[in-house]
Amino acid sequence: MTDSPLSRGGKRERLVAGAADLLHRKGIAATTLADIAQVAGVPPGNVYYYFKTKDDLVKAVVDTQAGQVTALLTELDALPRPAERLKALVRRWEAMREVIARHGCPIGTLATELDRRDDGLDTDGAQPIRQILDWVGTQIRLLGARNARQLAISLFAGIQGGALLANALRDPAVMTGQVRHLERWIDTLAADGRS
Amino acid sequence: MTDSPLSRGGKRERLVAGAADLLHRKGIAATTLADIAQVAGVPPGNVYYYFKTKDDLVKAVVDTQAGQVTALLTELDALPRPAERLKALVRRWEAMREVIARHGCPIGTLATELDRRDDGLDTDGAQPIRQILDWVGTQIRLLGARNARQLAISLFAGIQGGALLANALRDPAVMTGQVRHLERWIDTLAADGRS
DNA sequence: GTCTATAAGGCGATAGAC
DNA sequence: GTCTATCGCCTTATAGAC
């Protein structure tokens, strides 16, 4: 297993991991390159050897998220039935309830922040969201629903909205309750599909 | 109608209104006091005469939002039936779908950004959200549901999650579809309450 | 009471030393 | 190939002129 060209010692990886954590906790604008360098154990100002610009580093974080989402969905695909896959998905957000109550959903908050910049070339921060919506749509289609896209949006909106409210109220129980609600809704979908 | 002590000419009001708009479109961190002053037609640097600090101005924006929410809920209270009140509420977000697709829900994005700062004294950015959740809970209780709080969270999570996805996908139709979905769900609640 | 000039600090980014 | 010293800009905030 060889390292990629520019990343001997894994410093590049540490920078991306540290940036992902700080971006989640403080947001893009409030996170300085000095912060990231410190967390990653890299000399401050040296970040530019690994990333041409701050936006490049943010883009790398989004790409990492997309990879993690791909890995998650692939893992869930191993489950035998669509309804179980969907419930396993929503339970992932329940498992993250503590960190969500503190800092929000990493995917949702980053996408929101990226979408509000009027930069010309913006990273597609919505890619992880699109991946999940497409996958959920596929699962719901397997359940036999006609309007799978709309139902996929409603399900993931329930997750993201639950995360937003849990964060605003700083209450992990909000996420738990919302996940329970969605699990029951998934059961309803599965029952409707069978009838 | 006299002006408030420090606001002859309405400059203070113009500053808050301009700040509300910029905070919604660019976020807190990306909005400078110079930007706000320019939009409000006030000399740059002079903002400090009206607000002791930038955070004070943000706080004023949140207070304004809380007032607008109070006005909205009072207006909806005039409708005769709880289910109609709830549907009128969600239709407000549908009416804002274009601006939501561009910059997100003003309440949700501001609350999210405020919640991620580790400042000691933070403004309670969740106040408008709490107001709405409490009011929705009251309406659902009137429909005869047992777990009104959980259902209120699910309903408003659907709105906020729909707004987040509409923003991420930059597609107003996402908000419209989600509102339709929620309207049908409200009808279901009303029917269950009647049975 | 209203506004201007300016200070103090922090930021992303670069040039070039090792 | 790796890192450091430093630049120039922008931002909040203040002191004091009008």
Side-chain angles (χ1 to χ4, degrees), chain B residues 44-168:
Chain B
N46 180 20
V47 180
Y48 287 91
Y49 174 67
Y50 300 97
F51 297 94
K52 202 175 56 190
T53 173
K54 184 181 179 180
D55 280 4
D56 267 31
L57 183 44
V58 173
K59 186 179 162 74
V61 170
V62 174
D63 288 347
T64 298
Q65 274 192 356
Q68 289 169 341
V69 166
T70 299
L72 168 62
L73 299 181
T74 302
E75 181 188 335
L76 297 181
D77 275 329
L79 293 171
R81 307 175 63 205
E84 290 308 317
R85 290 180 209 136
L86 290 171
K87 286 196 271 190
L89 180 79
V90 301
R91 277 189 219 110
R92 292 298 175 118
W93 267 261
E94 183 186 7
M96 296 190 296
R97 62 187 179 274
E98 296 290 347
V99 73
I100 284 173
R102 270 271 165 244
H103 310 291
C105 167
I107 292 172
T109 55
L110 190 55
T112 296
E113 202 172 356
L114 281 171
D115 255 325
R116 287 162 81 201
R117 338 201 321 177
D118 31 294
D119 301 327
L121 354 155
D122 52 348
T123 305
D124 184 13
Q127 197 196 338
I129 286 176
R130 248 188 294 266
Q131 289 177 264
I132 295 172
L133 282 176
D134 290 346
W135 183 88
V136 171
T138 299
Q139 305 311 314
I140 292 181
R141 215 164 283 116
L142 289 173
L143 288 177
R146 320 113 290 186
N147 49 346
R149 179 67 179 180
Q150 173 60 53
L151 293 173
I153 287 172
S154 292
L155 176 59
F156 198 45
I159 292 177
Q160 287 297 322
L164 190 149
L165 296 183
N167 180 223

Side-chain angles (χ1 to χ4, degrees), chain A residues 86-97 100 155 158-163 166 172-187, chain B residues 150 153-154 157:
Chain A
L86 290 171
K87 286 196 272 190
L89 180 80
V90 300
R91 279 190 218 109
R92 291 297 176 119
W93 267 262
E94 183 187 6
M96 296 190 297
R97 64 187 178 275
I100 284 173
L155 176 58
I159 292 176
Q160 287 297 322
V174 168
M175 195 72 236
T176 303
Q178 181 68 357
V179 165
R180 292 283 164 273
H181 177 84
L182 293 171
E183 283 179 319
R184 284 192 299 269
W185 187 66
I186 292 167
D187 285 333
Chain B
Q150 173 60 53
I153 287 172
S154 292

Side-chain angles (χ1 to χ4, degrees), chain A residues 11 43 46 49-50:
Chain A
K11 291 190 180 176
N46 180 19
Y49 174 66
Y50 299 97

Side-chain angles (χ1 to χ4, degrees), chain A residues 107-193:
Chain A
I107 292 172
T109 55
L110 190 54
T112 296
E113 203 172 356
L114 281 171
D115 255 325
R116 295 210 287 168
R117 340 201 319 178
D118 31 293
D119 301 325
L121 355 154
D122 54 345
T123 304
D124 183 12
Q127 197 196 338
I129 287 177
R130 247 188 294 266
Q131 288 177 263
I132 295 173
L133 282 175
D134 289 347
W135 183 88
V136 171
T138 300
Q139 306 311 315
I140 293 181
R141 217 165 281 115
L142 289 174
L143 288 176
R146 322 110 290 187
N147 49 346
R149 179 67 179 180
Q150 174 58 54
L151 293 173
I153 287 172
S154 292
L155 176 58
F156 198 44
I159 292 176
Q160 287 297 322
L164 191 149
L165 296 183
N167 180 223
L169 302 178
R170 290 194 199 266
D171 183 1
V174 168
M175 195 72 236
T176 303
Q178 181 68 357
V179 165
R180 292 283 164 273
H181 177 84
L182 293 171
E183 283 179 319
R184 284 192 299 269
W185 187 66
I186 292 167
D187 285 333
T188 304
L189 281 183
D192 287 353

Side-chain angles (χ1 to χ4, degrees), chain A residues 67-90:
Chain A
Q68 289 169 341
V69 167
T70 299
L72 168 63
L73 300 180
T74 302
E75 182 189 332
L76 297 182
D77 274 329
L79 292 171
R81 307 174 63 202
E84 291 307 318
R85 289 180 210 136
L86 290 171
K87 286 196 272 190
L89 180 80
V90 300

